[in-house]
Amino acid sequence: MDISLKNVEYRYSADTPFERLAIQDVNIDISSGSYTAIIGHTGSGKSTVLQHLNALLKPTKGTVFIGNREIKAGRKEKNLKGIREKVGIVFQFPEHQLFEETVEKDICFGPLNFGVSETEAKKRANEAIKQVGLSEEILEKSPFDLSGGQMRRVAIAGVLAMEPECIVLDEPTAGLDPRGRKEIMDLFYKLHQERDLATVLVTHSMEDAARYADEIVIMHKGTVLQKGTPNEIFSDPERLLAHGLDVPDVVRFQLRIEKTFQTKFDRICLKEDELINMLAAFLKRRGAQ
């Protein structure tokens, strides 16, 4: 499923004394099967963009194309349920949305709400719980008897059970320790590859954006500051730092090395092993001189 935002503007509380411009002139293309990261400061417009991806918000100007649907400013839209079935959102702390008596009922809730039969919903729940790395036995347990990490995986399984074509991740590792964060991000990347999902990651983590995304979109003051591949985005780290944005730790370390040795490497490294190899080659050449 392809998603495109064309010249999109959104104003909260439009035509009231509390009107606030959140985003303007936003143009983003998300291709089927791609992995896009949207990064930026708090208040940059990331979350507002996110809610346009499955028509939770409708633009006050511009057009959003979601698959074969066109969501146009100023027009009443009907039958948005199908869009929300195809574009699943995993919000921050998704475990807070669990409410059913059992894990199985919680996972089945979405598919049943979209008209899937009970038999099919239970089949999907069984498949989804395995995909998030949990055993079938957990389906009969109360979600509130699980650990925090297990609850988050159950909530993710609930989104997967709707069999979306696009999955949107809103800071999905919030509150997790480094190990838990890596496990969840690796899980999403595996699902992205196995299901050929269009994946959109909204994050503050430059490391996650650099490691997983095909394309990065930088939001700044409600509009798109820059778009490009991770290599293109982080090849000019000074520009990001000038806008108060962070860079991955490995890039920051490379800048320190270059400053210490008063040199400039021929490219920016986004992975630790790349930087180690480049530094080793540099030191070897330096020692031979």
Side-chain angles (χ1 to χ4, degrees):
M1 171 182 283
D2 295 341
I3 301 176
S4 293
L5 279 67
K6 301 296 183 187
N7 305 313
V8 168
E9 172 191 285
Y10 186 77
R11 294 175 182 267
Y12 287 100
S13 304
D15 302 321
T16 76
F18 304 102
E19 180 176 306
R20 178 174 67 85
L21 178 64
I23 58 173
Q24 60 181 328
D25 196 29
V26 171
N27 292 276
I28 298 174
D29 295 312
I30 298 163
S31 301
S32 177
S34 65
Y35 197 126
T36 303
I38 302 177
I39 61 178
H41 285 303
T42 299
S44 63
K46 302 189 306 295
S47 294
T48 303
V49 167
L50 176 156
Q51 293 179 76
H52 280 79
L53 301 181
N54 76 343
L56 284 176
L57 294 179
K58 288 170 278 187
T60 49
K61 281 187 183 178
T63 308
V64 181
F65 299 91
I66 306 173
N68 60 2
R69 290 293 302 272
E70 180 181 311
I71 312 298
K72 198 172 183 65
R75 189 173 71 189
K76 289 188 177 181
E77 303 290 345
K78 297 179 180 179
N79 302 318
L80 296 175
K81 208 171 186 181
I83 290 176
R84 292 163 189 164
E85 183 179 12
K86 295 301 181 184
V87 183
I89 298 182
V90 178
F91 288 103
Q92 286 189 44
F93 304 106
E95 59 272 20
H96 292 174
Q97 299 168 45
L98 300 175
F99 65 95
E100 283 283 11
E101 296 174 359
T102 67
V103 168
E104 183 180 58
K105 286 183 178 180
D106 226 307
I107 297 173
C108 287
F109 178 81
L112 289 172
N113 194 41
F114 286 116
V116 170
S117 69
E118 185 175 353
T119 301
E120 175 64 18
K122 288 184 176 182
K123 179 185 174 185
R124 291 189 187 186
N126 193 278
E127 293 171 352
I129 204 69
K130 294 175 188 174
Q131 287 182 312
V132 298
L134 298 175
S135 66
E136 297 173 47
E137 289 74 20
I138 212 167
L139 289 170
E140 299 307 315
K141 293 185 177 181
S142 165
F144 307 106
D145 290 338
L146 307 179
S147 68
Q150 288 174 323
M151 289 174 73
R152 184 160 301 190
R153 288 173 184 257
V154 167
I156 293 165
V159 174
L160 295 176
M162 292 187 288
E163 298 187 349
E165 295 178 26
C166 174
I167 190 164
V168 182
L169 313 172
D170 182 14
E171 298 284 358
T173 61
L176 298 179
D177 60 26
R179 179 179 175 182
R181 187 175 73 189
K182 185 176 186 305
E183 286 177 354
I184 289 295
M185 290 307 303
D186 285 347
L187 168 64
F188 281 125
Y189 193 67
K190 182 182 177 185
L191 292 167
H192 165 74
Q193 292 180 310
E194 290 179 350
R195 289 195 172 198
D196 195 30
L197 291 169
T199 302
V200 181
L201 171 66
V202 177
T203 183
H204 285 92
S205 172
M206 299 298 173
E207 278 74 20
D208 289 343
R211 184 176 294 116
Y212 299 102
D214 306 320
E215 182 175 55
I216 296 174
V217 177
I218 301 176
M219 294 294 298
H220 184 65
K221 294 183 177 179
T223 194
V224 175
L225 175 68
Q226 189 178 356
K227 292 185 285 190
T229 66
N231 280 309
E232 290 169 341
I233 293 295
F234 295 116
S235 64
D236 188 7
E238 288 82 5
R239 184 185 185 201
L240 297 178
L241 294 169
H243 281 90
L245 297 166
D246 206 352
V247 296
D249 288 341
V250 66
V251 174
R252 189 179 292 277
F253 188 50
Q254 179 174 335
L255 295 177
R256 290 176 61 186
I257 292 172
E258 291 176 344
K259 184 177 180 181
T260 299
F261 289 103
Q262 296 185 331
T263 188
K264 191 77 175 174
F265 293 160
D266 60 4
R267 70 179 188 279
I268 287 291
C269 299
L270 299 180
K271 296 180 180 178
E272 291 84 352
D273 55 350
E274 286 182 58
L275 181 57
I276 290 169
N277 292 336
M278 187 174 287
L279 179 58
F282 167 75
L283 293 174
K284 186 176 181 180
R285 289 194 305 271
R286 185 183 174 91
Q289 291 176 357

